[in-house]
Amino acid sequence: KMDVEVVNFRDKLSKVDKLHSYKVIAQMNDYYFKIVKAKRDFIWHSHPETDEVFMVIQGNLEIDLRDKTLYLKEGEMVVIPKGVEHKPLCREECHVLLIEPTGTVNTGDSGGNLTDERIEWI
């Protein structure tokens, strides 16, 4: 039987001591809820097989699309549809919740040295 517990974002984020280290904090069916502390200009990529949710817990997140830039602040979220190229940017440290299928790679179809394949639960 599964243990049902409340997940506190602030508590979980306090356990993340490195930037750009994705941590799984919950799972719903085949979806992970991942948190990350970020401060970087990421790469252009897409996820051909899945939509992806970005929810800003703290700070500001910009997401470049090919035709516009989205500006998200604390308490806001966006769903990036599958196949849509996007490039996240955090000019200052921001804390983000990602909701995506298990097995989704952060760099999508682009790969490269920014790929984080370690799945660590906290």
Coordinates of all heavy atoms in Angstrom, one line a residue, residues 2 26-33 100-102 121:
M2 N 0.5 2.2 -0.8 CA 1.3 3.4 -1.0 C 1.1 4.3 0.2 O 0.0 4.5 0.7 CB 0.9 4.1 -2.3 CG 1.8 5.2 -2.7 SD 1.3 5.8 -4.3 CE 2.4 7.2 -4.5
A26 N 7.5 13.7 -6.8 CA 6.3 12.9 -6.7 C 6.1 12.3 -8.1 O 6.7 12.6 -9.1 CB 5.1 13.9 -6.4
Q27 N 5.2 11.3 -8.1 CA 4.8 10.6 -9.3 C 3.3 10.4 -9.3 O 2.7 10.1 -8.3 CB 5.5 9.3 -9.4 CG 5.2 8.5 -10.7 CD 6.1 7.3 -11.0 OE1 7.0 7.0 -10.2 NE2 5.8 6.5 -12.0
M28 N 2.7 10.7 -10.5 CA 1.3 10.4 -10.7 C 1.2 9.6 -12.0 O 1.6 10.1 -13.1 CB 0.5 11.7 -10.9 CG -1.0 11.5 -11.1 SD -1.8 13.1 -11.5 CE -1.3 13.3 -13.2
N29 N 0.8 8.4 -11.9 CA 0.7 7.5 -13.0 C 2.1 7.4 -13.6 O 3.1 7.1 -13.0 CB -0.4 7.8 -14.0 CG -1.8 7.8 -13.3 OD1 -2.1 6.9 -12.6 ND2 -2.6 8.8 -13.6
D30 N 2.2 7.7 -14.9 CA 3.5 7.7 -15.6 C 4.1 9.1 -15.7 O 4.9 9.3 -16.6 CB 3.3 7.1 -17.0 CG 2.9 5.6 -16.9 OD1 3.3 5.0 -15.9 OD2 2.3 5.2 -17.9
Y31 N 3.7 10.0 -14.8 CA 4.3 11.4 -14.8 C 5.1 11.7 -13.6 O 4.7 11.3 -12.5 CB 3.2 12.4 -14.9 CG 2.6 12.6 -16.3 CD1 1.8 11.6 -16.9 CD2 3.0 13.7 -17.1 CE1 1.4 11.8 -18.2 CE2 2.6 13.8 -18.4 CZ 1.8 12.8 -18.9 OH 1.3 13.0 -20.2
Y32 N 6.2 12.3 -13.8 CA 7.1 12.8 -12.7 C 6.8 14.3 -12.4 O 6.6 15.0 -13.4 CB 8.6 12.7 -13.0 CG 9.2 11.3 -12.8 CD1 10.3 10.9 -13.5 CD2 8.7 10.4 -11.8 CE1 10.9 9.7 -13.3 CE2 9.3 9.2 -11.6 CZ 10.4 8.8 -12.4 OH 11.0 7.6 -12.2
F33 N 6.9 14.7 -11.2 CA 6.9 16.0 -10.8 C 8.4 16.3 -10.4 O 8.8 15.7 -9.4 CB 6.0 16.3 -9.6 CG 4.5 16.2 -10.0 CD1 3.9 15.0 -10.3 CD2 3.7 17.3 -10.0 CE1 2.6 14.8 -10.6 CE2 2.4 17.2 -10.4 CZ 1.8 16.0 -10.7
E100 N 6.1 16.1 -16.3 CA 6.4 15.4 -17.6 C 6.4 13.9 -17.4 O 6.6 13.5 -16.3 CB 7.7 16.0 -18.2 CG 8.9 15.8 -17.3 CD 10.1 16.6 -17.7 OE1 9.9 17.6 -18.5 OE2 11.2 16.3 -17.2
P101 N 6.2 13.2 -18.5 CA 6.2 11.7 -18.4 C 7.6 11.2 -17.8 O 8.6 11.8 -18.1 CB 6.0 11.2 -19.8 CG 5.3 12.3 -20.5 CD 5.8 13.6 -19.9
T102 N 7.6 10.1 -17.1 CA 8.8 9.5 -16.7 C 9.6 9.2 -17.9 O 9.0 8.9 -19.0 CB 8.5 8.2 -15.9 OG1 7.8 7.3 -16.7 CG2 7.7 8.4 -14.6
W121 N 15.2 10.8 -6.4 CA 14.1 11.2 -5.6 C 14.5 11.9 -4.3 O 15.5 11.4 -3.7 CB 13.3 9.9 -5.2 CG 12.4 9.4 -6.3 CD1 12.8 8.7 -7.4 CD2 11.0 9.6 -6.4 NE1 11.7 8.4 -8.2 CE2 10.6 8.9 -7.6 CE3 10.1 10.2 -5.6 CZ2 9.3 8.8 -8.0 CZ3 8.7 10.1 -6.0 CH2 8.3 9.5 -7.2

